[in-house]
Amino acid sequence: MPKSILQNPPTLSPALRALVASMSEDLASDSHRITVNILQMVPEYKAVNDQIAARELGEAVQANLALWYRALLERIPIDDEVFEQIRISSSRRVHQGISLSGLLHAFRAGSQDFWFLMLDAVRDLPELHRELLFNVSPYLLAHFDRVARDSASAYLTEMHQSSRWRSRLRAEIWNIARNRPDDDESFRRHAAALGLDVTPAYATLAMKTADLPSTPSQQESQLDRMIDGAARALGLKRLRLFRVFHADCLLVWAPVPGGVSLLDFDHQLASQAERMLENVPNITAIGIGLPGVGAPGWALSAEQAMKSLQMQGDSTNNAVYCYSDRVLDDAISQLANTARYFDAIVERLAQEANLLDTLKAYFYHHQQRKTTAAKLHVHPNTLDYRLGRIEEILGARLDDPAWQAKLYIALRRSN
């Protein structure tokens, strides 16, 4: 029914025709009023701080008003060529960060405003009021419906194509970071195409996921929702994050804000990651890498984030693991002879009863002898003997910071 109505615009009475013609002469004023109303009523349009987007919205509103008035005054059926312009305009909203619900909300608000303008114009004219309600309104409702359906279809098509394009770009950026980290020009060019500024350092969050859908499209939708939740927790716009799904982990790169030290950012990111675990479904644990710059820095940060999860074994549930807490362990494990040296310390102490447990308790209680003796349920003299025996076996001094560091690392490796 809507199509046949659109092919046969209503014939207006001379009085209503004259009124509509008069209204069409005030096109700029009415379109400005409707545009301002949309910008105020629709949250997503209100949040878009973009003069180009606001101007395009105004142009679209004015074009729609002109289209409606022309159809009513000239009784020219609205063809597909005209609607194609509407579809092109709607597809652009994808790249301005407007959601489909926001786009349709704007159309409803604009259509409602236009209808109220016409009703207000005939408020004191009963005959024209009836004509508008019974003769013109079916046509306008069909027109509004066609605009909404064509706009939604164009938006979804563009979003799907954009999503596939962005997925290919993300895959290529990740491929460059992993396999061609020296190709800085390609890395920056592909990142720029995504709208990413890769000048600052980025840190990677490796998120263990659970209960993801099996079909690719559903999985992609679920990952999108997780990214939205991560963006909220990080206090960033979604477009400022980069993400890929790799090795059963959702990897997300977040930029270090200007003026924030790397140390402060590491603490801040850990706190934000804890909020993600609380508020974002399907994330069970998060590993955080150290910030890095460029393709090599991105790849290294991702490796560290995933390694921080792996270091925890099967205990990675509902917890955040920072690579900064394990950086010494990882550095040592990569040097075989260094690792064997620290393992030898543990093996030597383990040959005599109680020495290893005593040293662990001593460090756990911040080298406070009275507290350590009480926790071990031994006399302070017994504790002094055991600590002296440790110094004798290792040729160490427990008050020497260098030896304290070595013993701390050795104990960490033994856990």
Side-chain angles (χ1 to χ4, degrees):
M1 181 178 69
K3 184 175 181 180
S4 62
I5 292 177
L6 289 175
Q7 295 302 315
N8 296 282
T11 301
L12 304 183
S13 67
L16 185 56
R17 178 182 173 79
L19 180 62
V20 172
S22 175
M23 293 178 66
S24 69
E25 294 175 358
D26 200 18
L27 197 63
S29 176
D30 287 343
S31 63
H32 176 73
R33 170 183 164 182
I34 293 174
T35 300
V36 169
N37 195 33
I38 290 174
L39 290 173
Q40 292 177 344
M41 286 184 59
V42 183
E44 291 185 45
Y45 278 86
K46 188 176 183 179
V48 173
N49 186 21
D50 186 341
Q51 293 300 318
I52 295 178
R55 187 183 71 241
E56 287 186 357
L57 173 62
E59 292 171 351
V61 169
Q62 185 161 331
N64 274 289
L65 280 179
L67 180 64
W68 294 336
Y69 285 136
R70 179 188 173 199
L72 289 175
L73 293 172
E74 301 179 18
R75 298 196 68 247
I76 298 176
I78 302 174
D79 55 23
D80 287 337
E81 183 178 346
V82 173
F83 276 110
E84 178 62 20
Q85 298 305 311
I86 295 175
R87 288 191 286 268
I88 291 173
S89 175
S90 299
S91 66
R92 288 183 55 79
R93 302 299 169 258
V94 173
H95 306 286
Q96 292 170 345
I98 303 296
S99 70
L100 178 57
S101 62
L103 173 67
L104 296 179
H105 188 179
F107 269 116
R108 287 195 301 272
S111 301
Q112 186 181 66
D113 275 356
F114 173 70
W115 183 237
F116 286 164
L117 281 174
M118 297 199 72
L119 287 177
D120 190 58
V122 300
R123 185 176 304 278
D124 299 324
L125 304 169
E127 289 298 323
L128 297 188
H129 191 270
R130 282 192 295 271
E131 181 182 357
L132 192 63
L133 289 178
F134 295 107
N135 190 30
V136 177
S137 66
Y139 171 76
L140 287 179
L141 290 174
H143 176 86
F144 296 158
D145 179 66
R146 173 70 187 271
V147 168
R149 286 187 290 110
D150 279 29
S151 297
S153 176
Y155 182 96
L156 291 173
T157 299
E158 182 68 20
M159 185 173 67
H160 178 66
Q161 293 174 347
S162 176
S163 177
R164 293 178 61 183
W165 171 75
R166 294 178 73 85
S167 294
R168 289 194 295 269
L169 270 181
R170 286 197 299 265
E172 180 58 22
I173 290 172
W174 178 226
N175 179 54
I176 293 170
R178 293 177 63 205
N179 302 314
R180 309 195 314 272
D182 294 333
D183 191 354
D184 185 67
E185 190 277 331
S186 292
F187 178 75
R188 291 182 177 276
R189 175 163 46 83
H190 284 80
L194 273 180
L196 282 174
D197 176 13
V198 293
T199 303
Y202 277 72
T204 310
L205 296 94
M207 306 179 186
K208 287 192 68 174
T209 58
D211 302 324
L212 290 181
S214 57
T215 62
S217 61
Q218 292 177 330
Q219 185 177 103
E220 191 68 16
S221 296
Q222 180 63 44
L223 291 176
D224 282 341
R225 287 191 289 271
M226 292 165 67
I227 287 295
D228 287 337
R232 286 192 296 272
L234 293 170
L236 294 171
K237 291 184 177 180
R238 174 178 170 170
L239 294 179
R240 294 198 64 197
L241 301 178
F242 178 84
R243 58 97 163 175
V244 295
F245 193 72
H246 174 75
D248 295 325
C249 281
L250 175 60
L251 303 181
V252 178
W253 282 259
V256 179
V260 177
S261 73
L262 296 187
L263 181 61
D264 289 341
F265 182 66
D266 190 58
H267 295 323
Q268 173 184 315
L269 209 52
S271 176
Q272 292 168 331
E274 289 176 356
R275 288 202 294 273
M276 287 183 212
L277 287 177
E278 295 174 358
N279 300 314
V280 182
N282 304 102
I283 299 177
T284 60
I286 300 176
I288 301 176
L290 296 174
V293 177
W298 281 39
L300 181 58
S301 183
E303 179 185 341
Q304 293 169 345
M306 290 186 288
K307 188 175 290 185
S308 65
L309 287 179
Q310 296 165 359
M311 284 179 174
Q312 306 302 324
D314 296 330
S315 64
T316 54
N317 289 313
N318 299 318
V320 173
Y321 303 100
C322 296
Y323 183 77
S324 57
D325 294 334
R326 309 286 301 192
V327 63
L328 283 177
D329 305 296
D330 188 40
I332 290 166
S333 66
Q334 295 182 41
L335 301 172
N337 58 346
T338 303
R340 285 195 297 270
Y341 170 77
F342 287 105
D343 292 342
I345 292 176
V346 174
E347 292 169 2
R348 180 64 186 86
L349 294 179
Q351 292 176 8
E352 293 193 25
N354 301 318
L355 293 188
L356 197 56
D357 289 339
T358 296
L359 187 59
K360 288 180 180 179
Y362 183 61
F363 277 106
Y364 182 81
H365 295 292
H366 309 292
Q367 301 164 26
Q368 296 179 8
R369 297 195 176 212
K370 184 176 180 180
T371 302
T372 303
K375 294 296 181 180
L376 290 173
H377 304 291
V378 299
H379 193 278
N381 292 341
T382 302
L383 176 63
D384 289 342
Y385 169 78
R386 292 180 184 177
L387 295 178
R389 182 62 182 148
I390 290 171
E391 290 182 324
E392 181 182 349
I393 291 172
L394 299 178
R397 286 186 56 85
L398 294 182
D399 59 356
D400 181 350
W403 264 106
Q404 290 173 1
K406 288 193 287 186
L407 293 174
Y408 174 78
I409 293 170
L411 294 176
R412 280 284 298 265
R413 288 183 54 78
S414 71
N415 290 335

